[in-house]
Amino acid sequence: MFFLVFAVVFVVFVIFFLRWLRFRQVLRIFKKHSVIVYGEKGSGKDLLFSNVCSYRKLPYCSNVNYCENNNKAPIRYPFNPVYIKLGGNTYKNFMDNNIIPYDYPLPDKVDYYISDAGVYFPSHADIELDKRYPEVPMFQALLRHLGDSEFHCNIQALDRLWKKIREQAGRYILCLDCKVNKKGRVIQKIRVYDRYLSALDKVEPLKVRMPLFSTGAKTDIRLTRSTFRAKYGVIVDYTLRYKNKSKYDSRRFKRLLENGGEFPKVDKINVCMQDIPAVDEVI
C-alpha cells in the first residue's frame, strides 16, 4: 500500500514538474532571443506576453500595460517610437565616422514587448519604412549592446510585419489555441520555430516514433529526423499550463486614439526622459 501511494505521488509530482519545466523553457526563449508571436484572434498572443512579463518579474517597455492593478507587477516603461530611432544614426554615420551622440534612454535588461506590431511596422509599407526609418533595424541589431535587451512583437499574420524586423527575430512562436478556466488556469498550445520560412508556412513538427528493437529502422528514422531538421530547422510543440497572473486592457488602441497618444509628439529623445523613472528606481 505504501509503495502504491508513493508511486501515485511520484507520478503526480513528475507531471507537475514537466508542466512547470515547459513554461520555464518558454521564458528562457524570451530571455535569449528576440521573439515574434503570431496567430489568429483569440489564440492568446497578448496573454502569453503578459504572463511572460509577470513571471519574469523584470522591468519591461511596452505599448500595453500587461500588469494592471498588480502591486507586485514589474515596472513598465510606456513604449515611445522615439526610443528606437537610435538618435538618427544610420549605416552612413558609421561608415563616415560621423556618429550623432546618442544616450540609450532605458536601463539595462528592459525588453520591448510590442503588441499588434503591424500598426507600427506594416509590411505593406516596407519601402516607405526603409526610407523614413533606416535606423530602426540597426537599433534592433544593436539592442544587446545598448541595453542587453531583446525586442519582441506580436501580430496576427507573420508576413504582415516589416521585413527588416522579421529578419532579425531569433524565434517565432505560433499560438494555436488558448483556454482559461474560471480559476484562472491557462492551457495554451504553441509551436516554436527557429527559421522564418518554416514559421511562415506553419510547418508541422515531424512525428515519427522510434521503434524499440529494429536497429535498421532506428537508423532510418534518425536520418529522416536529421534531413527534416536540416530543411526546416527546429520545430517544437508545447502545451503550456500555468496560472494567469496578467490583467491588461484588451482594447488598448481605443484608449490610445481617444487620448491622442500616450506621449506628446517629440523630435528629440531627451524630451521624453522626464516621463521615465530614474535608473535607481528600477535596479
Side-chain angles (χ1 to χ4, degrees):
M1 184 66 182
F2 171 78
F3 291 105
L4 179 61
V5 173
F6 176 80
V8 171
V9 172
F10 179 76
V11 170
V12 172
F13 171 79
V14 170
I15 291 174
F16 278 93
F17 176 76
L18 291 176
R19 290 178 179 179
W20 172 84
L21 186 61
R22 289 191 186 100
F23 191 65
R24 297 298 299 180
Q25 289 173 333
V26 172
L27 295 182
R28 280 196 292 270
I29 289 173
F30 277 87
K31 179 181 179 180
K32 294 178 62 177
H33 304 279
S34 290
V35 180
I36 297 178
V37 177
Y38 66 108
E40 298 179 356
K41 290 182 179 178
S43 58
K45 300 182 294 295
D46 275 317
L47 186 70
L48 181 61
F49 264 17
S50 61
N51 279 284
V52 167
C53 290
S54 296
Y55 279 91
R56 291 187 69 190
K57 300 178 181 179
L58 294 173
Y60 67 98
C61 179
S62 178
N63 58 337
V64 175
N65 186 356
Y66 282 122
C67 306
E68 291 182 0
N69 303 322
N70 187 344
N71 295 329
K72 298 182 180 180
I75 292 176
R76 175 226 173 196
Y77 296 93
F79 173 68
N80 189 333
V82 173
Y83 296 168
I84 64 175
K85 292 183 180 179
L86 205 60
N89 287 293
T90 66
Y91 73 94
K92 294 181 180 179
N93 297 90
F94 284 87
M95 290 299 295
D96 296 339
N97 196 26
N98 184 28
I99 297 176
I100 302 169
Y102 167 77
D103 292 325
Y104 183 64
L106 300 181
D108 284 354
K109 299 188 181 300
V110 176
D111 282 6
Y112 291 78
Y113 296 82
I114 311 302
S115 177
D116 289 305
V119 174
Y120 301 90
F121 313 112
S123 61
H124 63 78
D126 271 357
I127 297 176
E128 185 177 358
L129 287 167
D130 289 344
K131 291 179 179 179
R132 295 191 61 179
Y133 306 110
E135 63 272 32
V136 173
M138 187 176 295
F139 169 87
Q140 188 179 359
L142 295 176
L143 189 54
R144 292 294 294 270
H145 293 264
L146 296 172
D148 194 15
S149 306
E150 300 293 349
F151 193 87
H152 314 298
C153 301
N154 75 38
I155 194 167
Q156 285 188 33
L158 185 56
D159 56 355
R160 293 180 191 171
L161 189 62
W162 186 11
K163 184 178 180 180
K164 292 294 191 297
I165 291 180
R166 282 179 288 170
E167 291 175 341
Q168 298 191 65
R171 292 293 184 272
Y172 306 87
I173 296 180
L174 171 62
C175 290
L176 299 169
D177 188 34
C178 184
K179 296 179 181 178
V180 184
N181 64 22
K182 295 180 180 180
K183 295 182 179 180
R185 304 296 300 182
V186 180
I187 301 177
Q188 187 168 19
K189 296 180 180 180
I190 64 172
R191 182 172 295 153
V192 180
Y193 300 89
D194 69 345
R195 293 189 184 178
Y196 168 69
L197 291 178
S198 298
L200 182 64
D201 294 335
K202 298 182 180 179
V203 177
E204 295 188 1
L206 182 66
K207 297 179 181 179
V208 180
R209 293 185 177 182
M210 186 71 73
L212 294 176
F213 303 107
S214 177
T215 305
K218 287 182 179 180
T219 302
D220 292 339
I221 289 174
R222 289 193 184 99
L223 181 60
T224 300
R225 287 177 174 175
S226 178
T227 303
F228 182 88
R229 183 168 181 172
K231 184 176 181 179
Y232 298 108
V234 178
I235 306 173
V236 183
D237 278 350
Y238 290 91
T239 298
L240 307 178
R241 291 176 172 86
Y242 55 89
K243 184 172 178 59
N244 183 20
K245 291 187 176 182
S246 70
K247 191 172 184 180
Y248 60 93
D249 185 0
S250 60
R251 304 182 68 183
R252 166 66 179 157
F253 282 96
K254 178 181 180 180
R255 315 285 182 262
L256 196 67
L257 290 168
E258 289 175 346
N259 298 331
E262 192 160 15
F263 282 105
K265 294 181 179 179
V266 293
D267 296 322
K268 296 182 179 179
I269 192 73
N270 57 3
V271 176
C272 296
M273 291 299 292
Q274 59 187 355
D275 296 315
I276 301 176
V279 174
D280 294 338
E281 298 178 16
V282 178
I283 299 177

